[in-house]
Amino acid sequence: MANRETVSEDRDGTKRIINRFSPEPTNFVLLLLGLLEMKMTHTPENRTYWNETAAATAFPRLFGDVNADVAIIGGGIVGITTARMLKDMGQAVAVIEARRVGRQVTGKSTAKITSQHSIIYQTLEQKFGEDRARLYAGAQESAIRKIRSLAAHYGIDCDIETKSAYTYTRDRTYVSKIEKEVEVAQRLGLPASLVNQTGLPFDILAAIRFDNQAQFHPTKYIAGLAKTIPGDRCHVFEDSRVVDWDPARVVTDRGSVTARYVVMATHLPLEQVGGYYALAYPQAEPVIAARISRAPNGMYINVEQPSHSIRTHTQQNGDVYGIVAGTSFKPGHTDDERKYFQDIEHWLTSNFDAGPIEYRWVNEDYSSMDNAPFIGWSSSIGDGYLVATGFDAWGITNGTAAGMILADLATGKENEWLKVFDATRVKPIAGGPQFVRENAEVAAQLVSGYLSRKPKSFDELAPGEAAIMKIDGQNVAAFKDEQGRVHAVSSVCTHMGCLVGWNETDRTWDCPCHGSRFDLNGEVIHGPATKPLAMALPDSR
Ligand code: FES
């Protein structure tokens, strides 16, 4: 068996090394592999609807040293919006994206542009008081207007459509919560009304309707907005993974950006910056897309479990797709992943006359302990980073509001929304290591719990099977692909040492503790980890 390294390209255009352990192929085997890979590309797993229906981007890699006013790590909705806002203020910005802009978390969302975040306003009013709940509401409505104005001003073709948003229930015990949410939302100035007709193809008991909301194509929007940034001392770099940083400098494998401030627009700040790994917890959610012939004319989510969120997208040929997200689960917990995918597939096909499921992927979100995002300086003593995290699955408007706030802070302006979002409002939990240890134990149980079959060597792995193994004392995460190639890496997450779990839809190793994701070869998809999973030792093969 030979150690081989070849380069492949993901659907998002990211180049990566594959085949670390593989037998020497014959021409016949190569032909067979090609046929099998062609077949694999037509399965719905790890196919992200938005990323496959948007043109590829081609921003340069960062080479050499660049100076800017603000360095922004991450090219999703937070990073690109912040960059656009700062450029409007005359600032020089450099966006540094490890993979491709708009194709990670933003490109895997349902992309609802709405201030209706399920029934959050009664919770916020209770936890933060009416005034700050009103600020949250105002930030979301401003974000809706900002997305519309940016798309219109720059002529971004991102399929933006005005829609009403509905949060509904079919469970009698939730009706009073719906009624309460309407009362609070109206008092906060939101466009809310109580209805019992929604356009859904089934009866509901009560619903909140927010008018004048919208939906769009997130990958097209981010790519279009990113294209407006280069020039006038501003840059967007792709395929440039950050390997080191301090509050005034960012270093990649081939270059660096020196700046007055650094924005961490990386979903969760990298590694242990600000201690947010202990303040926001990760949730994975299953998402599917299929053609539907009974399309509802709005955006919907229910309150009770299991969760069903749906919106539509109409393609140029008139085909309408239903995009459905389901109940959140702990990353890497494969039992729940299977259960909730099955649930939303049944729900979509039985209610909306859906064709075969064509796209199936997993997204991740972070939720804060008090339900509001953390946005702003990571430290109150002037030595911090600008950060944004904990959007609780409502990242399109929260991410846009974050861009507006971070741009204000980087230019010395005040922003009243900080009264609710202030990222220093809760001190990192003392005893972080204990928190991590406990999570590590949970993760270990979780991983060993779902693997009813426990192969002891790679030879025992069936094609398409993944396993966490203990080989010669090593914790090994192994996957055997349909061609018989074994992809084996350490199962110990490089962030803080939890054991990763298997994401069978995307074929990634996901960490249940703080949400880092790694590909089959251990490369980081997104952090907080920044280092790849270690290679399994050759003698463990
Ligand atoms: Fe923190 Fe894995 S993401 S230990």
Side-chain angles (χ1 to χ4, degrees), residues 268 271 277 282 366 436 439 492-500 510-518 526-529:
L268 194 72
E271 295 292 351
Y277 64 86
Y366 290 91
V436 171
N439 275 291
V492 179
C493 177
T494 55
H495 177 226
M496 296 179 84
C498 289
L499 294 185
V500 296
D510 299 352
C511 184
C513 288
H514 315 115
S516 292
R517 297 186 70 178
F518 304 87
H526 69 64

Side-chain angles (χ1 to χ4, degrees), residues 78-150:
V78 174
I80 297 298
T81 307
T82 305
R84 183 62 257 172
M85 298 293 98
L86 284 168
K87 184 167 182 178
D88 287 345
M89 296 171 177
Q91 300 290 296
V93 296
V95 178
I96 307 143
E97 165 58 43
R99 293 158 76 93
R100 297 283 159 191
V101 297
R103 288 174 179 252
Q104 312 316 315
V105 180
T106 306
K108 294 181 175 177
S109 69
T110 53
K112 296 175 177 175
I113 311 172
T114 179
S115 58
Q116 185 191 78
H117 297 175
S118 184
I119 53 171
I120 196 172
Y121 291 104
Q122 56 197 283
T123 307
L124 290 177
E125 187 176 53
Q126 187 191 15
K127 291 184 177 175
F128 289 84
E130 181 176 332
D131 288 347
R132 285 190 282 172
R134 184 173 286 107
L135 286 174
Y136 182 100
Q140 310 308 320
E141 283 286 310
S142 294
I144 297 171
R145 291 192 291 276
K146 178 60 72 179
I147 292 169
R148 282 198 173 110
S149 69
L150 287 171

Side-chain angles (χ1 to χ4, degrees), residues 318-361:
D319 286 352
V320 180
Y321 279 75
I323 321 291
V324 175
T327 304
S328 297
F329 57 92
K330 209 168 178 67
H333 194 162
T334 317
D335 283 347
D336 283 345
E337 181 186 336
R338 288 174 189 155
K339 180 169 76 180
Y340 293 128
F341 267 112
Q342 277 174 11
D343 173 67
I344 54 176
E345 288 175 22
H346 174 72
W347 186 80
L348 179 65
T349 50
S350 59
N351 289 306
F352 299 93
D353 199 8
I357 306 299
E358 295 176 48
Y359 302 86
R360 191 181 284 131
W361 70 97

Side-chain angles (χ1 to χ4, degrees), residues 213-227:
Q213 311 293 290
Q215 61 188 21
F216 69 171
H217 190 305
T219 312
K220 288 183 182 176
Y221 174 74
I222 296 298
L225 197 57
K227 282 183 192 155

